[in-house]
Amino acid sequence: MSKHDRHLLDLSSLTILVADDNDVMRSTFKQLLRTYGARKIFEAHEGAEALQQIEERAIDILITNWDMRPIDGIETVRILRRHPVAEKQMMPVIMVSAHSTPRNVRYARDCGVNEFLTKPVAPIDLYLRLEEIILRPRAFIKCPSYIGPDRHRHDGRRYSGPKRRVQDQGKGQNGETAAEPASKPAKEASA
Amino acid sequence: MNANKPIPPGVTIIEPTDALRRKAPPVMNRRLSEVAKEAEATIQSQQTAYQTRLAQDIENLHRIHLELLQTMNAELLEEVRFIAHDMKGQGTTFGYPLITRICDTLANFLAAKPPLNAKTLDVITVHIDSLHLVVDNALVGEHPDGLALVENLSRLLALVAPEKSGDR
């Protein structure tokens, strides 16, 4: 059985915005999204146009290239994460880039990107990133140093097994501890 | 996120909703494994558009290279890097991994902000010539001649590169 042998999600009701300054890549993404069943697809040539479209429409998911001019994908996400309207601020973003070193992926994540899609693009990977956003949405974190999806994919709340980590020593089964600090610096928060 | 930890002051956590999941329910008569094959075919259908774009990109590199020679305007080096980086991202997607590799070495070389001198211009020239070689001889896939070419480019860059910059 193929590892992808499961029902396709119906993407026809989702509104997806593709921002890429390269016409071939934009067209390819559009065609791929159509193949996967998406019907409401909008395009932008760069970040400023993408942000304008986001103002004008109810976009569900943004797929954006990193390197664009004048506003690149990272700057677009930074601006989006400070949007005054909550639905727009929390819009899931897939960053597409050939800047695929771990350092760059971490940087994109720290700017508030939900998913990273590496170029060269494997068609199935685009769908898998969409599926991840749709089926496994993460909490949204706002703190002075970060605004974006929870950068921890693992949801500790669902774990009910024994606590074996050093930092868990002295805690009960549910993690309660008498010596827990009242507060921690924001950067140590789960964000 | 761990619910057992207290939320630090100044931090707001908004729980995820299932809004997108409700908007995108499973399609009972379509399997991902089947549609994935169609998606591969979709990429193939973009080949002609890619090849046209590839020719335009190489032409643009030529034009900027000539302008560099005439004006010695160092800002144009960023133009070359920007195009090379863009080409790097597309090559392998459309069956030209050699384009990706050649543009990767060029983009990385320029990302390290080399001085605009004869050596740097030579590096750009040899990369543009290499791109031509790949396209003119239709060196698709991991062609052995192309791999030897890429290896030689890497050796050349090891001799002239100011310092390794990493990606970007």
Side-chain angles (χ1 to χ4, degrees), chain B residues 54-92:
Chain B
L54 177 59
Q56 286 169 355
D57 284 339
I58 295 174
E59 187 55 41
N60 277 339
L61 286 176
H62 257 308
R63 183 180 49 76
I64 297 168
H65 184 234
L66 277 177
E67 206 176 327
L68 266 169
L69 289 170
Q70 288 162 0
T71 64
M72 293 303 276
N73 175 2
E75 286 178 12
L76 293 172
L77 291 177
E78 171 56 18
E79 288 296 309
V80 177
R81 187 209 65 81
F82 188 82
I83 294 172
H85 178 79
D86 195 37
M87 292 171 74
K88 168 191 165 184
Q90 298 169 76
T92 304

Side-chain angles (χ1 to χ4, degrees), chain A residues 7 17 58 64 77 110 125 127 131 138 152 181:
Chain A
H7 291 296
L17 175 61
T64 181
V77 175
D110 291 345
D125 287 343
Y127 179 83
E131 193 183 57
R138 284 177 275 154
H152 291 179

Side-chain angles (χ1 to χ4, degrees), chain B residues 90-106:
Chain B
Q90 298 169 76
T92 304
T93 303
F94 298 101
Y96 282 86
L98 294 171
I99 297 287
T100 291
R101 290 184 187 211
I102 293 165
C103 290
D104 183 40
T105 60
L106 179 57

Side-chain angles (χ1 to χ4, degrees), chain A residues 125-144:
Chain A
D125 287 343
L126 172 63
Y127 179 83
L128 294 177
R129 299 299 182 281
L130 290 166
E131 193 183 57
E132 186 69 23
I133 282 171
I134 295 164
L135 298 183
R136 285 170 283 280
R138 284 177 275 154
F140 196 84
I141 311 292
K142 292 186 196 180
C143 65

Side-chain angles (χ1 to χ4, degrees), chain A residues 4-8 10 22-23 27 35 60 67 69 98-99 104 120-121 135 140 142 150 156-157 174, chain B residues 1 3-4 12 14-15 21 23-25 27 30-33 42 46 53 79 86 90 93 167-168:
Chain A
H4 302 310
D5 191 26
R6 55 181 178 270
H7 291 296
L8 193 74
D10 180 0
N22 184 304
D23 51 351
S27 167
T35 303
D60 291 310
D67 255 19
R69 289 168 173 171
H99 293 305
N104 285 322
V121 175
L135 298 183
F140 196 84
K142 292 186 196 180
D150 189 344
R157 293 167 302 178
N174 296 320
Chain B
M1 188 168 63
N4 296 323
T12 306
I14 299 158
E15 291 300 320
R21 184 192 280 259
K23 268 180 126 171
V27 188
R30 291 195 87 191
R31 311 290 298 180
L32 174 57
S33 49
T42 299
Q46 297 290 306
R53 171 79 192 210
E79 288 296 309
D86 195 37
Q90 298 169 76
T93 303
D167 188 11
R168 190 165 176 90

